[in-house]
Protein backbone atom coordinates (compact mmCIF):
# COMPACT_ATOMS: atom_id res chain seq x y z
CA UNK A 1 0.00 0.00 0.00
CA UNK A 2 1.33 3.40 -1.01
CA UNK A 3 0.68 6.19 1.47
CA UNK A 4 0.61 9.95 0.97
CA UNK A 5 0.17 13.05 3.13
CA UNK A 6 -2.82 14.86 1.67
CA UNK A 7 -4.31 18.32 2.13
CA UNK A 8 -8.10 18.04 2.46
CA UNK A 9 -9.20 21.48 3.63
CA UNK A 10 -7.95 24.39 5.73
CA UNK A 11 -5.96 22.98 8.67
CA UNK A 12 -6.88 19.42 7.72
CA UNK A 13 -4.33 16.84 6.57
CA UNK A 14 -4.43 13.06 6.53
CA UNK A 15 -2.12 10.15 5.75
CA UNK A 16 -4.00 7.85 3.42
CA UNK A 17 -3.60 5.40 0.51
CA UNK A 18 -2.88 7.13 -2.76
CA UNK A 19 -2.67 6.03 -6.35
CA UNK A 20 0.54 6.77 -8.17
CA UNK A 21 0.61 6.09 -11.92
CA UNK A 22 3.42 3.90 -13.27
CA UNK A 23 6.09 5.78 -15.23
CA UNK A 24 5.12 6.41 -18.82
CA UNK A 25 7.45 7.41 -21.65
CA UNK A 26 9.96 9.99 -20.42
CA UNK A 27 8.97 9.52 -16.78
CA UNK A 28 10.53 7.96 -13.68
CA UNK A 29 9.06 6.56 -10.48
CA UNK A 30 10.83 7.70 -7.32
CA UNK A 31 10.70 6.41 -3.76
CA UNK A 32 10.91 9.70 -1.81
CA UNK A 33 13.08 9.41 1.28
CA UNK A 34 12.75 12.79 3.00
CA UNK A 35 10.49 15.74 2.23
CA UNK A 36 10.87 19.15 3.85
CA UNK A 37 7.92 21.29 4.93
CA UNK A 38 8.29 24.85 3.66
CA UNK A 39 6.48 28.14 4.06
CA UNK A 40 4.41 27.57 0.92
CA UNK A 41 3.19 24.27 2.34
CA UNK A 42 2.07 26.18 5.45
CA UNK A 43 0.16 28.66 3.27
CA UNK A 44 -1.62 25.67 1.69
CA UNK A 45 -2.30 24.18 5.14
CA UNK A 46 -3.91 27.44 6.25
CA UNK A 47 -6.26 27.37 3.26
CA UNK A 48 -4.70 30.48 1.72
CA UNK A 49 -4.13 28.78 -1.64
CA UNK A 50 -7.44 26.97 -2.09
CA UNK A 51 -8.07 28.83 -5.34
CA UNK A 52 -4.97 27.11 -6.75
CA UNK A 53 -4.73 23.79 -4.89
CA UNK A 54 -7.32 21.13 -5.69
CA UNK A 55 -8.05 18.93 -2.65
CA UNK A 56 -7.23 16.21 -1.92
CA UNK A 57 -3.72 17.32 -2.79
CA UNK A 58 -0.41 15.57 -2.08
CA UNK A 59 2.00 18.19 -0.77
CA UNK A 60 5.78 18.54 -0.81
CA UNK A 61 8.49 19.75 -3.18
CA UNK A 62 11.68 19.85 -1.04
CA UNK A 63 12.78 16.23 -1.41
CA UNK A 64 15.36 13.55 -1.89
CA UNK A 65 14.95 9.91 -2.84
CA UNK A 66 15.91 7.09 -5.16
CA UNK A 67 14.65 5.99 -8.53
CA UNK A 68 12.52 2.81 -8.48
CA UNK A 69 11.51 2.45 -12.15
CA UNK A 70 12.11 4.27 -15.41
CA UNK A 71 9.70 4.64 -18.29
CA UNK A 72 10.32 4.07 -21.98
CA UNK A 73 12.88 6.32 -23.59
CA UNK A 74 14.52 7.38 -20.33
CA UNK A 75 18.28 7.35 -20.64
CA UNK A 76 21.07 8.16 -18.17
CA UNK A 77 18.91 7.20 -15.16
CA UNK A 78 18.65 3.82 -13.45
CA UNK A 79 16.86 2.30 -10.46
CA UNK A 80 18.79 3.07 -7.28
CA UNK A 81 20.10 6.46 -8.44
CA UNK A 82 19.92 9.11 -5.72
CA UNK A 83 18.04 12.18 -6.95
CA UNK A 84 16.24 15.32 -6.06
CA UNK A 85 13.64 17.01 -8.24
CA UNK A 86 13.50 20.53 -9.60
CA UNK A 87 9.69 20.69 -9.31
CA UNK A 88 8.91 22.87 -12.32
CA UNK A 89 7.08 22.10 -15.56
CA UNK A 90 6.78 24.86 -18.14
CA UNK A 91 5.03 25.08 -21.51
CA UNK A 92 7.98 26.40 -23.58
CA UNK A 93 5.53 28.47 -25.64
CA UNK A 94 4.56 31.51 -23.51
CA UNK A 95 6.42 34.85 -23.77
CA UNK A 96 8.41 34.16 -20.59
CA UNK A 97 9.62 30.79 -21.88
CA UNK A 98 10.44 32.17 -25.31
CA UNK A 99 12.54 34.84 -23.59
CA UNK A 100 14.51 32.13 -21.77
CA UNK A 101 12.80 32.46 -18.39
CA UNK A 102 11.16 29.04 -18.20
CA UNK A 103 11.28 28.98 -14.40
CA UNK A 104 8.68 31.77 -14.34
CA UNK A 105 6.59 30.38 -17.19
CA UNK A 106 3.26 32.17 -17.41
CA UNK A 107 1.53 28.78 -17.20
CA UNK A 108 3.95 27.14 -14.77
CA UNK A 109 3.08 23.84 -13.12
CA UNK A 110 4.81 23.95 -9.75
CA UNK A 111 4.86 20.29 -8.77
CA UNK A 112 3.66 19.89 -5.19
CA UNK A 113 1.28 22.83 -5.52
CA UNK A 114 -0.38 22.68 -8.94
CA UNK A 115 0.07 18.89 -9.25
CA UNK A 116 0.81 16.03 -6.82
CA UNK A 117 3.94 16.45 -4.73
CA UNK A 118 6.59 14.34 -3.05
CA UNK A 119 5.08 13.58 0.37
CA UNK A 120 4.22 10.02 -0.60
CA UNK A 121 5.96 6.67 -0.79
CA UNK A 122 6.00 6.55 -4.60
CA UNK A 123 6.07 9.54 -6.94
CA UNK A 124 6.10 9.64 -10.74
CA UNK A 125 7.66 12.71 -12.38
CA UNK A 126 9.20 13.67 -15.74
CA UNK A 127 12.82 12.58 -16.04
CA UNK A 128 13.64 16.12 -17.13
CA UNK A 129 13.01 17.33 -13.56
CA UNK A 130 15.67 15.07 -11.99
CA UNK A 131 18.88 16.42 -10.49
CA UNK A 132 21.56 13.88 -9.61
CA UNK A 133 22.87 13.65 -6.05
CA UNK A 134 26.39 12.52 -5.13
CA UNK A 135 26.50 9.13 -3.44
CA UNK A 136 28.27 10.62 -0.42
CA UNK A 137 25.43 13.03 0.37
CA UNK A 138 23.02 11.71 3.04
CA UNK A 139 19.46 11.80 1.76
CA UNK A 140 18.14 13.72 4.76
CA UNK A 141 20.69 16.47 4.08
CA UNK A 142 19.80 16.39 0.38
CA UNK A 143 16.21 17.40 1.19
CA UNK A 144 17.63 20.91 1.74
CA UNK A 145 18.86 21.24 -1.84
CA UNK A 146 15.61 22.81 -3.10
CA UNK A 147 15.47 25.66 -0.55
CA UNK A 148 19.22 26.16 -1.02
CA UNK A 149 18.56 26.56 -4.76
CA UNK A 150 16.11 29.33 -3.85
CA UNK A 151 18.89 31.06 -1.90
CA UNK A 152 21.38 30.63 -4.74
CA UNK A 153 18.92 32.22 -7.15
CA UNK A 154 18.22 35.10 -4.74
CA UNK A 155 21.90 35.87 -4.23
CA UNK A 156 22.41 35.73 -7.99
CA UNK A 157 19.50 38.06 -8.68
CA UNK A 158 20.94 40.52 -6.15
CA UNK A 159 24.35 40.27 -7.88
CA UNK A 160 26.16 39.91 -4.57
CA UNK A 161 29.91 40.39 -4.93
CA UNK A 162 32.90 39.71 -2.71
CA UNK A 163 33.49 42.23 0.09
CA UNK A 164 30.00 43.70 -0.18
CA UNK A 165 27.88 44.22 2.91
CA UNK A 166 24.58 42.35 2.85
CA UNK A 167 21.67 42.48 5.31
CA UNK A 168 19.20 39.59 5.44
CA UNK A 169 15.91 40.64 7.04
CA UNK A 170 14.27 37.49 8.38
CA UNK A 171 16.20 34.57 9.85
CA UNK A 172 13.92 31.67 8.96
CA UNK A 173 15.13 28.75 6.82
CA UNK A 174 15.38 30.67 3.55
CA UNK A 175 16.88 33.73 5.24
CA UNK A 176 19.59 31.64 6.88
CA UNK A 177 20.31 29.88 3.60
CA UNK A 178 20.60 33.24 1.81
CA UNK A 179 23.02 34.43 4.48
CA UNK A 180 25.16 31.29 4.07
CA UNK A 181 25.18 31.51 0.27
CA UNK A 182 25.97 35.24 0.34
CA UNK A 183 28.81 34.57 2.77
CA UNK A 184 30.12 31.87 0.44
CA UNK A 185 30.11 34.49 -2.33
CA UNK A 186 32.44 36.61 -0.21
CA UNK A 187 29.97 39.07 1.27
CA UNK A 188 29.95 40.28 4.86
CA UNK A 189 26.50 39.44 6.22
CA UNK A 190 24.19 40.55 9.01
CA UNK A 191 20.91 38.77 9.82
CA UNK A 192 18.01 40.75 11.31
CA UNK A 193 15.65 38.46 13.24
CA UNK A 194 13.20 38.82 16.14
CA UNK A 195 13.26 35.20 17.33
CA UNK A 196 15.96 34.49 19.95
CA UNK A 197 16.01 30.82 18.91
CA UNK A 198 16.70 31.66 15.29
CA UNK A 199 19.33 34.23 16.23
CA UNK A 200 21.09 31.64 18.37
CA UNK A 201 21.10 29.14 15.51
CA UNK A 202 22.43 31.75 13.09
CA UNK A 203 25.19 32.63 15.52
CA UNK A 204 26.14 28.95 15.89
CA UNK A 205 26.63 28.99 12.13
CA UNK A 206 29.05 31.89 12.48
CA UNK A 207 26.61 34.59 11.37
CA UNK A 208 26.25 37.94 13.11
CA UNK A 209 22.66 38.81 14.06
CA UNK A 210 20.75 41.92 15.06
CA UNK A 211 17.55 42.04 17.11
CA UNK A 212 15.26 44.71 15.62
CA UNK A 213 13.29 44.91 18.87
CA UNK A 214 16.31 45.75 21.01
CA UNK A 215 19.12 46.97 18.79
CA UNK A 216 19.49 50.43 17.27
CA UNK A 217 19.69 49.29 13.66
CA UNK A 218 20.57 52.68 12.09
CA UNK A 219 23.44 53.04 14.54
CA UNK A 220 24.65 49.49 13.93
CA UNK A 221 24.48 49.90 10.17
CA UNK A 222 26.36 53.19 10.42
CA UNK A 223 29.12 51.67 12.54
CA UNK A 224 29.38 48.62 10.28
CA UNK A 225 29.49 50.52 6.98
CA UNK A 226 31.15 53.79 7.96
CA UNK A 227 27.80 55.53 7.47
CA UNK A 228 27.69 54.35 3.84
CA UNK A 229 24.80 51.87 4.25
CA UNK A 230 24.62 48.28 3.06
CA UNK A 231 25.20 47.30 -0.56
CA UNK A 232 22.35 44.81 -0.67
CA UNK A 233 19.38 43.80 1.48
CA UNK A 234 17.15 40.75 1.26
CA UNK A 235 13.55 41.05 2.47
CA UNK A 236 12.64 37.55 3.70
CA UNK A 237 10.32 38.36 6.59
CA UNK A 238 7.07 38.97 4.70
CA UNK A 239 6.17 41.76 7.14
CA UNK A 240 5.76 45.51 6.76
CA UNK A 241 8.46 46.11 9.34
CA UNK A 242 10.83 43.94 7.35
CA UNK A 243 10.19 45.96 4.20
CA UNK A 244 10.91 49.19 6.09
CA UNK A 245 14.12 47.80 7.55
CA UNK A 246 15.38 46.43 4.23
CA UNK A 247 14.90 49.81 2.57
CA UNK A 248 16.36 51.82 5.44
CA UNK A 249 19.64 49.89 5.72
CA UNK A 250 20.65 50.44 2.10
CA UNK A 251 23.29 52.88 1.00
CA UNK A 252 23.53 54.84 -2.24
CA UNK A 253 22.67 52.62 -5.23
CA UNK A 254 21.92 49.72 -2.90
CA UNK A 255 19.92 46.74 -4.15
CA UNK A 256 16.84 45.37 -2.43
CA UNK A 257 16.04 41.77 -3.31
CA UNK A 258 12.43 40.85 -2.54
CA UNK A 259 12.27 37.19 -1.53
CA UNK A 260 9.24 36.86 0.77
CA UNK A 261 5.74 36.38 -0.61
CA UNK A 262 3.69 39.34 0.62
CA UNK A 263 -0.01 38.46 0.65
CA UNK A 264 -1.10 42.10 0.48
CA UNK A 265 0.29 45.37 -0.92
CA UNK A 266 2.89 47.09 1.27
CA UNK A 267 3.87 50.69 1.77
CA UNK A 268 7.37 51.38 0.44
CA UNK A 269 9.44 54.50 1.07
CA UNK A 270 9.82 55.50 -2.56
CA UNK A 271 11.48 58.78 -1.57
CA UNK A 272 14.36 56.67 -0.25
CA UNK A 273 14.54 54.92 -3.62
CA UNK A 274 14.67 58.29 -5.38
CA UNK A 275 17.13 59.91 -2.98
CA UNK A 276 19.65 57.07 -2.97
CA UNK A 277 19.00 55.65 -6.46
CA UNK A 278 18.06 52.27 -5.03
CA UNK A 279 17.15 49.23 -7.09
CA UNK A 280 14.36 46.73 -6.31
CA UNK A 281 14.62 43.27 -7.83
CA UNK A 282 12.23 40.36 -7.48
CA UNK A 283 13.44 36.77 -7.06
CA UNK A 284 11.27 33.71 -7.62
CA UNK A 285 12.23 30.04 -7.72
CA UNK A 286 15.40 28.91 -9.56
CA UNK A 287 16.83 27.37 -12.71
CA UNK A 288 18.87 24.20 -13.21
CA UNK A 289 22.19 25.99 -12.72
CA UNK A 290 20.95 27.21 -9.32
CA UNK A 291 19.92 23.66 -8.40
CA UNK A 292 23.25 22.16 -9.38
CA UNK A 293 25.11 24.82 -7.42
CA UNK A 294 22.87 24.06 -4.42
CA UNK A 295 23.78 20.36 -4.57
CA UNK A 296 27.45 21.34 -4.35
CA UNK A 297 26.90 23.72 -1.42
CA UNK A 298 24.99 21.12 0.60
CA UNK A 299 27.39 18.31 -0.29
CA UNK A 300 30.55 20.24 0.65
CA UNK A 301 29.12 21.49 3.95
CA UNK A 302 28.89 25.16 3.01
CA UNK A 303 25.26 24.66 3.95
CA UNK A 304 25.44 22.68 7.23
CA UNK A 305 22.23 20.74 6.69
CA UNK A 306 22.47 18.73 9.89
CA UNK A 307 22.34 21.89 12.00
CA UNK A 308 19.33 23.25 10.11
CA UNK A 309 17.16 20.14 10.44
CA UNK A 310 15.18 20.51 13.67
CA UNK A 311 13.49 17.11 13.56
CA UNK A 312 12.45 14.24 11.30
CA UNK A 313 8.95 12.78 11.66
CA UNK A 314 7.15 9.81 10.09
CA UNK A 315 4.36 10.47 7.61
CA UNK A 316 1.66 9.79 10.19
CA UNK A 317 2.97 12.70 12.28
CA UNK A 318 3.08 15.19 9.41
CA UNK A 319 -0.09 17.04 10.56
CA UNK A 320 1.49 17.63 13.97
CA UNK A 321 4.66 18.87 12.26
CA UNK A 322 2.69 21.47 10.31
CA UNK A 323 1.18 22.74 13.56
CA UNK A 324 4.61 22.86 15.22
CA UNK A 325 5.95 25.00 12.38
CA UNK A 326 3.17 27.53 12.85
CA UNK A 327 4.92 28.71 16.03
CA UNK A 328 7.96 29.46 13.90
CA UNK A 329 10.55 30.46 16.46
CA UNK A 330 11.58 27.16 18.06
CA UNK A 331 12.02 25.07 14.91
CA UNK A 332 13.88 25.64 11.68
CA UNK A 333 13.32 22.79 9.22
CA UNK A 334 11.18 19.67 9.73
CA UNK A 335 11.51 16.70 7.39
CA UNK A 336 8.91 14.01 6.77
CA UNK A 337 10.36 10.49 6.48
CA UNK A 338 8.53 8.69 3.69
CA UNK A 339 10.46 5.42 3.94
CA UNK A 340 8.65 3.64 6.80
CA UNK A 341 6.38 0.99 5.25
CA UNK A 342 4.88 0.16 8.66
CA UNK A 343 3.03 3.46 9.00
CA UNK A 344 -0.71 3.15 9.13
CA UNK A 345 -3.14 5.29 7.21
CA UNK A 346 -5.92 7.34 8.74
CA UNK A 347 -9.31 5.65 8.46
Amino acid sequence: MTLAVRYLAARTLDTAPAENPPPGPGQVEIAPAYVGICGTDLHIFHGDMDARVAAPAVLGHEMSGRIVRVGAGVEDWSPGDAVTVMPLRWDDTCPACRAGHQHICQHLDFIGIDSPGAMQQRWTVPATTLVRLPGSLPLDHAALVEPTAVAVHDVGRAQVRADEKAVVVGGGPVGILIALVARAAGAEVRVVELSPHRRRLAEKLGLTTWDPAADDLPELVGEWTGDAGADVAFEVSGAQGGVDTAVDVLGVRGRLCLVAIHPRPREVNLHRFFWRELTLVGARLYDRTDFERAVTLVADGTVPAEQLISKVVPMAQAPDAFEALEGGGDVMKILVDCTDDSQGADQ
Side-chain angles (χ1 to χ4, degrees), residues 85-90 102-103 108-111 129 285-286:
V85 167
M86 187 174 78
L88 308 180
R89 280 192 292 232
W90 47 81
Q102 289 91 343
H103 71 290
L108 185 69
D109 173 5
F110 191 107
I111 306 173
T129 65
L285 299 176
Y286 31 64

Side-chain angles (χ1 to χ4, degrees), residues 58-76:
V58 180
L59 304 182
H61 56 271
E62 302 179 358
M63 64 78 61
S64 63
R66 294 189 182 276
I67 294 174
V68 176
R69 291 188 290 175
V70 300
V74 174
E75 300 178 354
D76 301 324

Side-chain angles (χ1 to χ4, degrees), residues 34-37 140 143-144 309 311-313 333-337:
Y34 298 95
V35 181
I37 302 172
D140 56 344
L144 270 67
I309 298 170
K311 64 171 70 173
V312 179
V313 302
K333 178 61 65 176
I334 297 179
L335 305 184
V336 176
D337 182 349

Side-chain angles (χ1 to χ4, degrees), residues 5-255:
V5 177
R6 307 183 308 167
Y7 169 77
L8 304 179
R11 302 189 61 79
T12 305
L13 302 176
D14 71 0
T15 304
E19 294 185 7
N20 182 67
Q27 295 182 323
V28 299
E29 182 180 1
I30 300 171
Y34 298 95
V35 181
I37 302 172
C38 87
T40 302
D41 297 320
L42 284 178
H43 285 304
I44 296 172
F45 178 63
H46 294 152
D48 297 336
M49 298 178 66
D50 282 357
R52 181 175 172 185
V53 176
V58 180
L59 304 182
H61 56 271
E62 302 179 358
M63 64 78 61
S64 63
R66 294 189 182 276
I67 294 174
V68 176
R69 291 188 290 175
V70 300
V74 174
E75 300 178 354
D76 301 324
W77 297 104
S78 302
D81 287 346
V83 296
T84 185
V85 167
M86 187 174 78
L88 308 180
R89 280 192 292 232
W90 47 81
D91 63 13
D92 252 343
T93 62
C94 74
C97 287
R98 294 199 305 270
H101 308 307
Q102 289 91 343
H103 71 290
I104 46 175
C105 170
Q106 290 167 226
H107 308 107
L108 185 69
D109 173 5
F110 191 107
I111 306 173
I113 299 176
D114 304 306
S115 56
M119 213 170 284
Q120 53 185 318
Q121 293 175 319
R122 293 293 185 271
W123 190 34
T124 297
V125 296
T128 54
T129 65
L130 299 181
V131 178
R132 193 177 301 277
L133 298 173
S136 60
L137 179 58
L139 289 181
D140 56 344
H141 294 187
L144 270 67
V145 165
E146 193 273 352
T148 300
V150 171
V152 171
H153 186 74
D154 298 340
V155 170
R157 285 286 288 156
Q159 299 181 333
V160 174
R161 296 182 289 272
D163 299 323
E164 288 193 316
K165 290 180 166 58
V167 177
V168 179
V169 182
V174 172
I176 294 297
L177 289 170
I178 289 171
L180 294 170
V181 174
R183 184 174 68 181
E188 191 176 339
V189 182
R190 298 292 184 267
V191 177
V192 178
E193 171 57 45
L194 282 166
S195 163
H197 172 81
R198 289 179 168 179
R199 289 199 307 274
R200 285 193 297 270
L201 175 58
E203 289 160 5
K204 287 181 181 177
L205 300 176
L207 298 165
T208 300
T209 67
W210 291 336
D211 178 359
D215 294 330
D216 186 333
L217 294 189
E219 181 178 346
L220 290 172
V221 171
E223 292 173 354
W224 180 43
T225 66
D227 291 326
D231 300 291
V232 61
F234 296 89
E235 203 310 279
V236 202
S237 74
Q240 180 65 58
V243 174
D244 297 339
T245 296
V247 173
D248 290 346
V249 300
L250 288 171
V252 169
R253 293 210 165 179
R255 289 106 60 200

